[in-house]
Amino acid sequence: MTYDFAKIEKKWQDIWDKENTFAAKNDYSLKKYYALVEFPYPSGQGLHVGHPRSYTALDIVARKRRLEGYNVLYPMGWDAFGLPTENFAIKNHIHPEIVTEKNVARFKSQLKSLGLSFDWNREINTTDPGYYHWTQWIFLQLFKKGLAYKKEMAVNWCTSCKCVLANEEVVNGVCERCGSEVVHKKKSQWMLKITAYADRLIDDLDDVDYINPVKIQQRNWIGRSHGAEVTFTTTQGDDLVIYTTRPDTLFGATYMVIAPEHPIIEKYKDVLTNYDEVKSYQDAAAKKSDFERAEVNKDKTGVQLQGVRAINPVNNKEIPIFVSDYVLMSYGTGAIMAVPAHDTRDYEFAKTFDLPIIEVVAGGDITKEAFTDCATGTMVNSGMLDGLSVEEAKVKIVDWLKENGKGEPKVNFKLRDWVFARQRYWGEPIPIVHCEHCGAVPIPEDQLPLKLPEVESYEPTQDGESPLANLPEFVNTTCPVCGRPAKRETDTMPQWAGSSWYFLRYCDPHNVNALAAKEALDYWLPVDWYNGGMEHTTLHLLYSRFWHKFLYDIGVVSCKEPYQKRTSHGMILGENGEKMSKSRGNVVNPDDIVKEYGADTMRLYEMFIGDFEKAAPWSSASIKGCKRFLDRVWNLQNSVIDQDGYRKEVESEMHKTIKKVSEDIENLKFNTALAAMMSLLNVITATDGITKGELKAFLIMLNPFAPHITEEIYQQVGFEGMLNQQSWVTYDEAKCKDSQVEIAVQVNGKIRDKIVIDAESSKEDALNAAKSSEKVAASMDGKQIVKEIYVSGKLVNIVVK
Ligand code: ANZ
Ligand code: ZN
């Protein structure tokens, strides 16, 4: 019988489809497991070989859990709003809805061809009005709680997409999507107050099981910093408040720096004798991104304010004030005290401008570089703080500042509120009406969903308004409060909206009365295991945690965190270790692999390719190896011994492999789980045939990885029922030990031979076996034995004289 994978795989996919094999049950008395992968953006390129790495991994987990008796939810859907589709639609004059439909159909058939056990009854699409109804509903709840607000602000403006970008979408000063220049532009924007959740987003990380890099990145991104605000005064008698994390270094402040946008500059327009110079520095700074300005290694520039100085509250010393772009207006108070002896950027600035550097923490060599270590230094040149450690000095100086009304402790965050609007067509309309009398008014919930109107052209207007602004029949409406003529909001929501709550919809995807029934949410949540890309750590993952916490606060969900466990897969690279990309011509199409080798080989290969969390280059040779393994598995059918249980010669190998595979799957070590099954196969094929008991256990273990071939063999051999309905295999810890072990035999500490004995051998048996070795006997040479040592399972040492 040949292994006709194309036929076998199609056969089982049809059966699974027809029998709804992987449907999650709505029986809330069962023990549940919710496995989740990030739903894809259905791009025009179709599935990438990177997608199945994540999907197969959690498919393995989902299939294992079903075999373990869980009611498993493993769903899939489409994150389908967004720019690429919209840009394609504009270019080719096809409605984005049609583009989306086509892309989704392609993705879906590709995913089905991989035999992934998704519950397709729960498929969702963020562009479906029945779905975005609830995205809009959540927005309205945020609005009602004051967490969605409009603000005039400088926004990142992509000169090519003609679109406002979130800070996260600006990479090294250019647009993340198209690579064009990003400039600052003033615009009134919808914002979401994610900062109100900053503390909880950090603190609750302690309660979830995320891989460490994810926790670290989120903590850094939120950037909670503990410090103090200190009030300096100017020689004009005004307060100038700075934020510092090192109030202990106050005696080392030799100058002050304010951000170019600091309001005191305008206030001192007439005081400053070099106002024009300051002004032109300000204009130059406005052209740079915060990212460029904050760069540690860049050359320090600045201008000293002439005509005014600052007074340090701890010692009343007068110090110069500079304006420099390395201080950002958007952080802290937009002003700092500069302590060049202990801060790297201040140090460089002081060197550039030839400013004094006063050491206040002893322990480094400040003639060479700033001494920034807080743990080991001792305070010097600091009056009342001299002799203290940094930690002690911080406490003492903050107390002093509080008592003297010169400062107080302060916690700051790097996290900014979320710009929640795009001036584009292909997104969820924001369900707000602007009325001259009533202001921004939410549309009544019974008018949701507010559907995207049909438009002729999807291009944003040249002044950057959304294409919806060109549709009077959409824009002009009446105010839901006073009934007077009013105008609809024309901005749409950003791409990240629909994905911020999609895992909730899977719990009850067809509900028309609520985003999901409470009991469905209570049963399925939290997601037990969520796998996705590292690149989403500070965007989607953080946004969805924020929305979930908000929904918790208003009673929609009952758990504080959406995801109990979060893991992340490494990227799959081209053959030479470069990123796969069209321009490099090294993109591997999953369809080709499935066609040539079959889905089971493709799945196996993607799991075998390397450590799951690390990037891995594609290797065609290694695919062939996986295919050969499956060919050998297929041939096991030819030598089945009609007998249950495991034979003595393979028993311990069976138990060891079951243990290893069971544990490795939980620890994301899919590659070593497969390696263990490969060596088990070697052990089995070295014997005469395979018993039914061994074959069944082997098939169950391999089933989550290679579901089609295992199901087919199971049927061919004549086992009862379907393989996926069986129970996961168990092992006996005691039998995981090798029955025989090789031990070294030493005579007077020198190895003379290696012998194989029963692992359970007693000391006496081991010694007898050792002494019956000819080499050992020869080296003992009839001498008298003075000592005999047996280290169980490892060695025998005989001391002779
Ligand atoms: C004096 C000082 C002495 C500082 C020293 C550091 C070391 P994080 O941890 O990021 O919160 N800073 C404050 N506001 C700033 C702004 N708007 N733009 C640029 N830098 C700013 O860092 C806080 C530290 O960054 C503050 O503590 C301040 O410099 C600087 F040995 O104050 B420090
Ligand atoms: Zn009104």
Side-chain angles (χ1 to χ4, degrees), residues 96-110:
E97 202 175 302
I98 293 168
V99 179
T100 300
E101 213 173 288
K102 219 176 103 225
N103 292 348
V104 163
R106 167 120 187 261
F107 263 74
K108 190 168 172 179
S109 83
Q110 289 182 302

Side-chain angles (χ1 to χ4, degrees), residues 435-439 441 479-484 486:
C435 168
E436 269 181 32
H437 307 272
C438 312
V441 178
C479 169
V481 176
C482 70
R484 281 184 261 215

Side-chain angles (χ1 to χ4, degrees), residues 731-742:
Y731 60 91
D732 182 347
E733 188 74 59
K735 291 191 175 141
C736 289
K737 295 204 193 85
D738 285 317
S739 52
Q740 304 240 293
V741 285
E742 191 187 57

